[in-house]
Amino acid sequence: MRIDGACHCGTITIEGEADPEKVSICHCTDCQARTGSAFGVSIPIPGDTFRMTGEPTTYLKTTADSGNPRLQAFCPRCGSSIYSTTPGEGRQASYMVRVGILWQRDQLLPKRQNWYRSAQQWVTGIDAIHKNQKQA
Ligand SMILES: [Zn+2]
Ligand SMILES: [Zn+2]
């Protein structure tokens, strides 16, 4: 399906073709730190359909758990997490784009959870937490 989106401030926009069956949650501690939250939600966009405007800032993070170096891209202005990919020059084979920046996020339901061993223990019981329909 066609997906597109933008960071929180609009400096970075991205678009591409992605398979909604490939949406995943990542509970790894790197995703907890980069989101400032409990987990990341991402969808891979093949490199040949990936388009972007704006220039993200990047850094290389070697994930402690997997040992794989990943290039992490963020908006330099608002700090939104945009994607991660394999390090290297030019277009990469795939970009793991953050679902929260996509306009289609309501249609992109996670199909699997990875690194569940580092999941925050409260995420399984989130439905039991008191809910306010707007800010309390
Ligand atoms: Zn931004
Ligand atoms: Zn992760």
Side-chain angles (χ1 to χ4, degrees):
M1 78 186 254
R2 197 84 198 145
I3 56 175
D4 59 353
C7 67
H8 200 194
C9 77
T11 297
I12 309 277
T13 68
I14 65 109
E15 61 179 281
E17 284 290 332
D19 179 355
E21 293 300 309
K22 293 186 174 166
V23 179
S24 62
I25 291 172
C26 187
H27 293 283
C28 85
T29 53
D30 287 331
C31 284
Q32 292 179 21
R34 73 167 174 77
T35 61
S37 188
F39 52 83
V41 186
S42 303
I43 186 170
I45 300 184
D48 56 354
T49 73
F50 182 79
R51 299 285 178 275
M52 179 168 59
T53 65
E55 190 67 41
T57 190
T58 61
Y59 74 97
L60 203 57
K61 176 72 179 177
T62 299
T63 301
D65 277 333
S66 72
N68 296 325
R70 295 285 291 172
L71 192 75
Q72 302 281 343
F74 292 80
C75 173
R77 186 162 175 238
C78 71
S80 294
S81 186
I82 309 296
Y83 62 79
S84 67
T85 190
T86 45
E89 290 299 312
R91 185 174 294 278
Q92 300 303 309
S94 179
Y95 294 82
M96 279 299 275
V97 172
R98 311 316 183 191
V99 168
I101 66 166
L102 299 174
W103 304 125
Q104 296 79 18
R105 57 188 172 241
D106 292 353
Q107 304 161 49
L108 297 170
L109 308 180
K111 298 298 193 295
R112 62 191 60 79
Q113 305 184 64
N114 298 322
W115 293 104
Y116 195 75
R117 72 181 190 189
S118 29
Q120 291 297 317
Q121 53 92 16
W122 56 264
V123 299
T124 56
I126 197 167
D127 197 51
I129 299 173
H130 179 77
K131 304 173 189 73
N132 298 308
Q133 294 303 325
K134 299 182 95 175
Q135 188 173 356

